[in-house]
Every structure is written in C-alpha cells, then in structure tokens.
Amino acid sequence: MSEIPTPSLKSPAAAFSPLYKQIKDLLVHSLHEGEWKPGESIPSELELAARFQVSQGTVRKAIDELAAENLLIRRQGKGTFVATHHEAQVRYRFLRLKSDSEGNAARAQSVYLQCARQRATQDVARVLLLRGSDSVIYIRRIMSFGTVPTVLDEIWLPGDAFKGLSIEKLQAMNGPLYGFFETEFGVNMVRADEKLKAVACDAETAGLLNVEQGTPLLQVNRVSYTYGDRPMEIRRGLYVTEHYHYRNGLN
Amino acid sequence: MSEIPTPSLKSPAAAFSPLYKQIKDLLVHSLHEGEWKPGESIPSELELAARFQVSQGTVRKAIDELAAENLLIRRQGKGTFVATHHEAQVRYRFLRLKSDSEGNAARAQSVYLQCARQRATQDVARVLLLRGSDSVIYIRRIMSFGTVPTVLDEIWLPGDAFKGLSIEKLQAMNGPLYGFFETEFGVNMVRADEKLKAVACDAETAGLLNVEQGTPLLQVNRVSYTYGDRPMEIRRGLYVTEHYHYRNGLN
DNA sequence: TAGTGGTCTAGACCACGTT
DNA sequence: ACGTGGTCTAGACCACTAG
C-alpha cells in the first residue's frame, strides 16, 4: 500500500512522518478548505481508506487524534462529524466561567456596544500575523448571566476574513459568537490559548459592569486559532468573579 | 481469548465494558497498589498481553489512554514508565504560572510558615471524603520566583495518608511538593481541578506577599486526585499576577 | 544484536442508529 | 437488514535505545 511516500526530502536525519499523520494533515486541509462544513458528516472510514489507499485502521488512527483534538466528533452508528460551536453540548466550549452555586442554569446574553474597523496596532498585527497596513475589526460587548453583567469582552478580528461584519448583524444574532463566525464567515475556531491575571477595575469598566472601581476582576487574554494553527481572534475579557469562577482541569 | 468475561451483571441494558477498559482498570489498580513505583518501568506490552491473556493491541490501547491521561509515559525503545513529579520536564506540572516576559527562568523557592495537625472542618472533610472526627494536616507556605514572593499557598491533606509529615521535613525538602509526596508517602497526584477567582488582598496576606492591601490577587482553589479519582489534597493559592500570568490552553 | 514501543495491515465480529 | 463506528486479533515490519 502506501501510495503516499514517506517524506520526499532525504535530508540527513530525515523527518519521519507516519502514514496516519499524513492522512491527518490531508483531513485538516480538507476541513480548512471547507470540503465538509461544521455539523456535516465526513465520509465513512472505509470510504476514506479507499480514497487515500490505506487500511481502515490507519484512517481510524488519524480520525482518533482529530476527535481527541475536538476537530471531529465520532458518533457510533451514525458517522463522524465536523465539530461545531452550535450544538447544545459544546456551545460556549471556550467559556470556562461557572456559577459558584448551581450548574450555570442562567443563560448568557450579550449586548454589543461597539463594532469598528481600525488599523491594526503593532501588538495586534504581530499576534494575528498581519501587516501594519491591514485592517482589523474591533468589537466590544457585555455578557450577562440572568440580568447580572459579568463579562466585558474586547475582540480583535482580521478584517479580511470578516468582511461585512457590522454591529447590526451582531445585535441581530443570538447564540454563541463562534457559531456565528462559522456560519457567516466560514471561520471555525478550534483551539485557544489564554493568559489570566487579576486586575483592578478601572473607572470606565466599573460603570459598564456595575461594580465599584478597584474591584478585583479576572482578566482573560485569549488568542483563538482555526484549522492549521492560524490565529484568527484576540479577545480580552474582564470577568466579575464574585459569584462565578473560572474552572480548569489539570492533568 | 478474553479470559476476562464481559460484565457479570446481566441487568437489562447491561453495562458493556470493552476489554481494554478492563485492562486499564487493572493497570490503574496495580499503580495504586504500588506494584510499579513512579519513575519505574512497567512490564512490556507483550508481557502484559501474556499476563492478561489478551492481544498486544488490546494492552496497547489501554496503555495509550493511560499515557494520554499522564499516568504513564511511553518511551520508544526503552519501555513504558510510571509518571512522576520528579523529572525535569514535568516538574511543577500543575503550576500554570508563567513569567510575562521570559520563559520562567527564575527558579521557584518555597518557605514553609506552618504545618499543623487539625480536626477537619466540615468543608474540608466533605471534599476529602473524611469524617468530621478525622485529622487533617494544614500547611502554609510562600513560593518565590527569584527573590519575589509570588504565591501564598494553604494546603489541607488527609492526616492518615501523611503520617509523620512535619515542618522540619518540609523545610529540609527541596524540589516540588508533589515529588516529595510521592517518595515520602507513596501518594502520586495524577489530576486536579481548579476554580479561579480574582480577590482583593487582605491585611495579613499583604504582609506576607509584600504587596498593598487590596491588591487584586488570583485565587486558585485546587483539589488534587491520586489513582482512581481519590481526592488527596485541597490547596488554596493566592497569586500575585503583576509580572506573572496563569496560562491555559483550550480545545 | 536484542528488546522495546510505533506503525500498518487484513479480517472478524460487536454495538448502535436508521431504515 | 444495513451501514456506521468500536473492539479485538494476529502478524509483519519499522524506529529507537542499549549492551
């Protein structure tokens, strides 16, 4: 078998890449191209095995890893599906804020304050891999649980990938922002890195979140990535953690 | 094959447990019993396959999952080893605090303030699965990076499992606390859950961490577990996040 | 050279969901 | 009944480490 040869570059200490990794890369490429959209099913393991001229087991191992990374979701008896931010189970996948008491019964509700097109600052451009001349979209919003304002988010998006995004569309939308990005712009966030700090609430934020100036807030700086580790969003959140906490599992 | 029969209970909707899961449970049991100690190698896949009367592939799948959960570490050509908190790569595995600037060059140094035996409070007893009459060990310490005090930890341990722990031993020890727990008490922490909040520094803590009272601190409430999800530690940390942050990867 | 984990295959059968 | 993913097997060969 193995139509796909091990790496063509025969450099000394040639990088060895197992077949299933190559299959994995091909699958990620197809995902990024949009061959299968979020929520849809991908071809069956046997079909993919035939397409790539490998055994079912090899395809299986590739899919296993992609499922472990939450790019795909396996459903026994039904098929394998492209992960989406729309489904109930995984909505707000990246939001780790939980109520101290109950299991987060109160539904999140967002109010959008601002949506503007700007030149990328140096910091933003560097992280999003843009040039200084490129434009970014800047968004500001408040998330409330029940009626209590809890999170102030500032968001930066690369202008090219999110053409036509306006505050009207944001206000009309409901449900998770990442789901909206999927269906409206074909951008599926797959992974994110966060850096957390405790900071004091400044005067403007105090007004927006309805807390005293100086109140300790949890500052969450996030960079989100699509397929292939392409950075597509910067987000800075300020969380009021009086009745909520950020949960995290370590292993 | 399959000496180990599928579940003996034939209740309606009988719980189906695949062979490799059963093997996995047997391996975890052996780990908990201390058949193989942290840092040691476990038997080869073929040996285990012979022992359990299954194929190598089934053992492999069990080990794969345990490696993914960081209970075991695979090393090609050498063997499979019991994970330990001692090795350089994984030391301070559960400490997510990083320097804002460099890659955490400064070495962590701990000063132990207190180590006392107490009756378990109701909250502590509930989480550690103790009775109210059981004793717990309470520890307080300060961690510094370079010379800057950065973390104030309060720790509660079940008294039974940590008999003989004293402040002298803590002060004599260096390196990570979890490594010390391994070698001195045979308790290997494997997983932890954390809840984070931003809080204001109180007067006493201000003195200890050398910051102004009211400074925002990152409060990290952790519960750590050994093999088999047995809770073995409660830890409340207060982090000064002026020059450090808590990093987290989401997927 | 021998032993370990890592990859790949081919085929059988099971569990689940749909038709 | 059929098609999907899930489990299990047996065997071949590869890559890495060590003596």
Side-chain angles (χ1 to χ4, degrees), chain B residues 212-242:
Chain B
E212 296 279 315
Q213 183 174 347
T215 302
L217 298 177
L218 185 61
Q219 178 189 285
V220 180
N221 286 317
R222 177 192 296 175
V223 180
S224 304
Y225 299 84
T226 5
Y227 301 120
D229 284 320
R230 294 169 178 84
M232 290 299 281
E233 182 200 50
I234 298 174
R235 184 183 294 208
R236 180 168 68 213
L238 292 169
Y239 299 4
V240 179
T241 56
E242 199 182 343

Side-chain angles (χ1 to χ4, degrees), chain A residues 30-133:
Chain A
S30 287
L31 287 169
H32 186 245
E33 297 279 293
E35 178 172 352
W36 315 297
K37 300 244 177 305
E40 294 179 6
S41 72
I42 70 172
S44 76
E45 294 179 348
L46 284 173
E47 282 180 81
L48 291 170
R51 179 202 292 200
F52 298 128
Q53 294 285 285
V54 299
S55 78
Q56 184 189 10
T58 301
V59 170
R60 167 170 290 274
K61 180 141 188 178
I63 293 179
D64 276 346
E65 291 202 354
L66 293 174
E69 295 166 17
N70 291 308
L71 301 215
L72 297 176
I73 298 177
R74 320 194 69 144
R75 280 199 253 267
Q76 182 175 146
K78 299 183 71 174
T80 301
F81 298 79
V82 181
T84 169
H85 288 268
H86 281 294
E87 301 165 47
Q89 351 156 322
V90 281
R91 258 162 41 174
Y92 302 106
R93 221 171 95 196
F94 291 169
L95 181 59
R96 304 288 269 252
L97 210 59
K98 297 291 165 193
S99 166
D100 287 346
S101 42
E102 1 98 44
N104 237 20
R107 188 129 55 276
Q109 191 155 9
S110 296
V111 175
Y112 288 88
L113 309 175
Q114 192 179 354
C115 176
R117 205 163 204 96
Q118 305 176 340
R119 286 261 157 277
T121 65
Q122 202 177 340
D123 284 352
V124 168
R126 184 174 40 77
V127 174
L128 294 182
L129 307 179
L130 305 175
R131 283 158 303 173
S133 54

Side-chain angles (χ1 to χ4, degrees), chain B residues 1 6 8 28 32 36 58 63 65 82 93 98 107 118 130 132 134 136 141 156 158-159 180 189 210 233 242:
Chain B
M1 285 284 164
T6 18
S8 37
V28 171
H32 186 245
W36 315 296
T58 301
I63 293 179
E65 291 202 354
V82 182
R93 219 171 95 196
K98 297 291 165 195
R107 188 129 55 276
Q118 306 176 339
L130 305 175
D134 290 328
V136 296
R141 70 160 181 187
W156 292 263
F180 176 71
M189 302 299 188
N210 196 28
E233 182 200 50
E242 199 182 343

Side-chain angles (χ1 to χ4, degrees), chain A:
Chain A
M1 285 288 163
S2 135
E3 279 298 312
I4 303 148
T6 17
S8 36
L9 34 127
K10 290 276 179 184
S11 58
F16 165 69
S17 178
L19 245 188
Y20 77 86
K21 289 273 186 198
Q22 302 175 41
I23 304 296
K24 206 178 145 185
D25 287 344
L26 292 172
L27 291 173
V28 170
H29 188 258
S30 287
L31 287 169
H32 186 245
E33 297 279 293
E35 178 172 352
W36 315 297
K37 300 244 177 305
E40 294 179 6
S41 72
I42 70 172
S44 76
E45 294 179 348
L46 284 173
E47 282 180 81
L48 291 170
R51 179 202 292 200
F52 298 128
Q53 294 285 285
V54 299
S55 78
Q56 184 189 10
T58 301
V59 170
R60 167 170 290 274
K61 180 141 188 178
I63 293 179
D64 276 346
E65 291 202 354
L66 293 174
E69 295 166 17
N70 291 308
L71 301 215
L72 297 176
I73 298 177
R74 320 194 69 144
R75 280 199 253 267
Q76 182 175 146
K78 299 183 71 174
T80 301
F81 298 79
V82 181
T84 169
H85 288 268
H86 281 294
E87 301 165 47
Q89 351 156 322
V90 281
R91 258 162 41 174
Y92 302 106
R93 221 171 95 196
F94 291 169
L95 181 59
R96 304 288 269 252
L97 210 59
K98 297 291 165 193
S99 166
D100 287 346
S101 42
E102 1 98 44
N104 237 20
R107 188 129 55 276
Q109 191 155 9
S110 296
V111 175
Y112 288 88
L113 309 175
Q114 192 179 354
C115 176
R117 205 163 204 96
Q118 305 176 340
R119 286 261 157 277
T121 65
Q122 202 177 340
D123 284 352
V124 168
R126 184 174 40 77
V127 174
L128 294 182
L129 307 179
L130 305 175
R131 283 158 303 173
S133 54
D134 290 329
S135 78
V136 296
I137 295 171
Y138 172 75
I139 298 170
R140 214 155 58 122
R141 69 161 181 186
I142 290 179
M143 281 186 81
S144 302
F145 296 107
T147 60
V148 185
T150 307
V151 177
L152 173 63
D153 275 325
E154 291 183 289
I155 299 170
W156 293 263
L157 303 167
D160 282 3
F162 291 86
K163 279 190 205 306
L165 180 53
S166 66
I167 193 160
E168 290 79 16
K169 285 191 179 177
L170 289 170
Q171 284 164 342
M173 167 217 35
N174 59 352
L177 196 50
Y178 289 143
F180 175 71
F181 289 169
E182 263 178 37
T183 48
E184 288 296 310
F185 303 97
V187 176
N188 193 2
M189 302 300 188
V190 148
R191 191 177 73 73
D193 285 324
E194 292 190 335
K195 297 182 180 181
L196 282 65
K197 276 176 182 281
V199 301
C201 187
D202 63 24
E204 187 192 359
T205 306
L208 293 169
L209 289 177
N210 195 28
V211 296
E212 296 280 316
Q213 183 174 348
T215 302
L217 298 178
L218 184 61
Q219 179 190 284
V220 180
N221 286 318
R222 177 191 295 173
V223 181
S224 304
Y225 300 84
T226 5
Y227 301 120
D229 284 320
R230 295 169 177 85
M232 289 299 281
E233 180 201 51
I234 297 174
R235 184 184 296 206
R236 180 166 70 213
L238 292 169
Y239 298 7
V240 180
T241 56
E242 200 181 342
H243 301 295
Y244 291 85
H245 61 266
Y246 181 107
R247 66 165 177 77
N248 197 27
L250 308 177
N251 43 21

